[in-house]
Amino acid sequence: MRIRRPEPHTLAGAYALDALDGPDRARFERHAARCRECTREVTGLREATARLAAAAAVPPPAALKDALRAETARTRQLPPVTRPRPAAARPSARPLGVRRLALALGGAAAVAAVTVGVTASLVPPAGRPSASQEIAKVLTAPDAVKLTAQVRTGGTATIVMSHHDRMLVFAAAGLRRLPAAQHYELWLIGPGRDRAAGRLPAPSHGMTGPVVAADLRSGDRLGLTVEPAGTHRPTTPMILELTL
């Protein structure tokens, strides 16, 4: 049986997230070298991924810093090298130095921060995949499309959408802070009634989101309003309205 390789154009999302292995990565890079459309798509998805990651990032907890200091104190450092040793005499594993330890824990902290931020931004219903899984699914979808738009009250919204999966990921930069009694609310505006699509968390370090909106329908538009607590329908003018 002949194994059919995926169409190179469909690998742009996975490549943007460094999710391709050696042969597929090399094949896509050869294809992208002569395909401007894929090059633009990868650039756009990487920009969107960076925005979404920045929106979800949170400062590392104090306990992580304490654990780093404690591990640094316990980790023996390499002795100074006085003369070269034969290769056979070198140990197969070496103690982890302070710099390498800090880099290793720093990478883990960044991953943890993004995961915590994404999960906190939207708690999925029982039986539904986690927000981080849904975000990865949208970003790696073969038909993923990135949209950007200006918010009327200030700020820029970035949306990555998959019509096939009927989902989108929303993040924003530069939204103004709101009073405690108000929040930003996303809406899916369709031929029928408007549907609440997600409440945005408070802006942090200039970034807001990401939030996953699911169950997109043909003809939907995406809207953003400022709402008081307990709202089940838009009560204020749209500060962002985007055709999907």
Side-chain angles (χ1 to χ4, degrees), residues 29-126:
E29 288 176 344
R30 289 195 299 270
H31 166 78
R34 59 181 184 275
C35 180
R36 292 185 178 181
E37 180 181 350
C38 282
T39 300
R40 286 194 298 266
E41 185 175 359
V42 168
T43 300
L45 288 174
R46 280 179 170 167
E47 178 186 341
T49 303
R51 285 179 179 269
L52 293 171
V58 295
L64 181 62
K65 295 180 181 178
D66 293 339
L68 174 60
R69 295 189 187 101
E71 189 64 28
T72 301
R74 289 194 298 267
T75 302
R76 179 185 174 187
Q77 304 305 298
L78 293 175
V81 178
T82 56
R83 64 178 184 274
R85 289 181 294 171
R90 293 175 183 171
S92 58
R94 300 187 300 173
L96 194 62
V98 173
R99 178 176 172 80
R100 293 172 61 209
L101 175 66
L103 289 173
L105 282 184
V111 173
V114 170
T115 303
V116 169
V118 168
T119 305
S121 68
L122 179 67
V123 178

Side-chain angles (χ1 to χ4, degrees), residues 120-212:
S121 68
L122 179 67
V123 178
R128 179 172 164 180
S130 70
S132 56
Q133 290 174 322
E134 291 183 326
I135 289 171
K137 182 178 182 180
V138 174
L139 294 181
T140 58
D143 65 334
V145 175
K146 188 196 75 166
L147 306 171
T148 59
Q150 296 297 315
V151 180
R152 294 189 181 104
T153 54
T156 304
T158 299
I159 301 97
V160 179
M161 175 180 58
S162 168
H163 282 293
H164 178 269
D165 294 318
R166 300 170 59 199
M167 295 168 58
L168 64 81
V169 180
F170 178 97
L175 295 185
R176 65 181 179 88
R177 284 195 168 273
L178 300 175
Q182 296 179 327
H183 65 272
Y184 290 102
E185 185 80 31
L186 284 175
W187 304 92
L188 290 174
I189 307 165
R193 65 181 180 86
D194 300 337
R195 291 126 45 214
R199 176 175 176 173
L200 271 60
S204 175
H205 304 289
M207 303 299 296
T208 305
V211 169
V212 178

